[in-house]
Amino acid sequence: MAKVHVQMTVNGEAVEGLVEPRTLLIHFIREQLNLTGAHIGCDTSHCGACTVDLDGLSVKSCTRFAVQANGGTVTTVEGMAGADGTLHALQEGFRMMHGLQCGFCTPGMIMRAHRLLQENPDPTEAEIRFGIAGNLCRCTGYQNIVKAIQYAAAKINGVPFVEAAE
C-alpha cells in the first residue's frame, strides 16, 4: 500500500512521517513518535485510554487516521508537563488526590480533563462527571478522579482547593 506523508505539531514540535492511509493516529503517536503515554485500550472508542487533544478537541486517537491529523496540532499527556519537568496542575492533582490506581486510564483521563477545564474553568462535580463520561476507569470508582480535577481547577484558577465534606 502506498504511504502518505503527514506533518503535524505534536507537543509543540513539528513532526512528520510516512504512514499507510489506514494508520490510526494512536499507532502513529506510539509507534513512529515513540510517545507511549496514550494507551490502546479497546480499539472501539469506548474506553478513552487513547484520548489526545487535536486542534482544540478531545479525540479518541484510535478512531482517527493519522492522515486526518495532517497539518493539525496534537497534545498528548507527554506534552502536559512544563519544559522544566514541572507537573501540569492536572498531573499534580491526580498525584495529590490519588486519582489513579493502575494508571492505564490516567493519560486519557488527564487529556479529557484538560480539554474540559479549557471549556469550563470552574466545573461543578456533576459537570466533571459528565465531562469525563467517555473515559472509563475500572479501578477507582471515579471519586478521586473528580477530586483531582477539582484540585487542578482550583490551582489553575489561583484559589485554594477545599474538599467537600463527606
Side-chain angles (χ1 to χ4, degrees):
M1 180 173 285
K3 294 200 174 189
V4 177
H5 184 254
V6 294
Q7 297 176 297
M8 61 192 77
T9 302
V10 177
N11 299 332
E13 293 186 30
V15 300
E16 59 184 298
L18 291 174
V19 297
E20 291 183 0
R22 65 184 179 164
T23 301
L24 295 173
L25 181 57
I26 185 67
H27 293 295
F28 177 71
I29 291 169
R30 289 180 62 84
E31 296 164 14
Q32 290 197 32
L33 302 181
N34 294 315
L35 297 172
T36 57
H39 293 138
I40 301 167
C42 66
D43 276 330
T44 62
S45 82
H46 288 99
C47 75
C50 66
T51 303
V52 299
D53 206 73
L54 171 61
D55 294 331
L57 297 172
S58 288
V59 299
K60 294 178 180 176
S61 59
C62 75
T63 62
R64 296 287 173 114
F65 295 113
V67 295
Q68 291 176 294
N70 191 31
T73 300
V74 177
T75 304
T76 68
V77 73
E78 289 93 342
M80 294 294 291
D84 64 353
T86 304
L87 295 180
H88 183 277
L90 279 161
Q91 293 168 312
E92 181 182 322
F94 272 72
R95 180 175 172 262
M96 298 300 294
M97 296 293 113
H98 309 286
L100 61 111
Q101 285 184 22
C102 82
F104 192 82
C105 72
T106 305
M109 239 3 131
I110 287 174
M111 294 313 300
R112 178 60 202 129
H114 171 67
R115 181 52 41 202
L116 171 66
L117 294 180
Q118 296 290 309
E119 296 165 355
N120 182 354
D122 191 25
T124 64
E125 179 179 340
E127 290 168 331
I128 292 170
R129 288 182 181 279
F130 182 79
I132 64 170
N135 292 68
L136 302 179
C137 176
R138 295 181 178 170
C139 301
T140 67
Y142 299 94
Q143 187 59 37
N144 288 347
I145 292 172
V146 171
K147 282 199 278 190
I149 297 168
Q150 290 171 323
Y151 175 100
K155 182 164 184 161
I156 291 167
N157 291 321
V159 298
F161 172 65
V162 180
E163 277 190 69
E166 293 184 21

